[in-house]
Amino acid sequence: ENLAIARVFNFDDAYDYYRKCQTKDVLCDVAVPGYAIQSLDDPFLLGQRNPKNANTNANEWPLRIQYTKNGGHCGHVFHSNKDTTSSSSWMPTQLARFLA
């Protein structure tokens, strides 16, 4: 972030960028239905506090957060071939369920 984001978008440094762009304090202000999938083993967010779903009533807080034990960063979106087996990410399926 110091080499690219901060310079291109006129932040003082990476910490200035993180502070000004964080969303954890405004999640409760989301006004349209949203779905966030967060993996607890995301290497970029390890040790962070994870916001809870404030309410299951979508009329009161339409942001639904699903936490998964594994998934890394970006939900391992891509298809992978390991040894002789292949598998696809669970993330596109979860997103399709939300949109249905």
Side-chain angles (χ1 to χ4, degrees):
E1 274 79 73
N2 277 327
L3 296 176
I5 301 297
R7 289 182 183 178
V8 171
F9 296 102
N10 204 26
F11 291 100
D12 295 335
D13 56 23
Y15 294 106
D16 183 44
Y17 163 64
Y18 299 146
R19 185 175 45 79
K20 291 178 178 174
C21 294
Q22 67 184 356
T23 59
K24 68 179 182 171
D25 297 329
V26 295
L27 289 176
C28 60
D29 296 331
V30 172
V32 296
Y35 184 54
I37 302 173
Q38 173 62 50
S39 173
L40 296 174
D41 70 347
D42 184 331
F44 289 98
L45 302 172
L46 288 177
Q48 300 292 320
R49 286 188 344 206
N50 297 308
K52 304 290 184 237
N53 285 305
N55 196 315
T56 56
N57 184 348
N59 294 324
E60 293 183 30
W61 196 47
L63 180 61
R64 175 78 181 121
I65 304 171
Q66 177 185 349
Y67 293 102
T68 62
K69 183 177 178 182
N70 301 106
H73 193 66
C74 295
H76 299 305
V77 174
F78 303 102
H79 181 79
S80 67
N81 291 317
K82 294 181 180 179
D83 300 324
T84 59
T85 61
S86 74
S87 63
S88 294
S89 170
W90 49 265
M91 198 268 297
T93 302
Q94 291 297 91
L95 183 58
R97 286 181 184 162
F98 172 74
L99 294 174

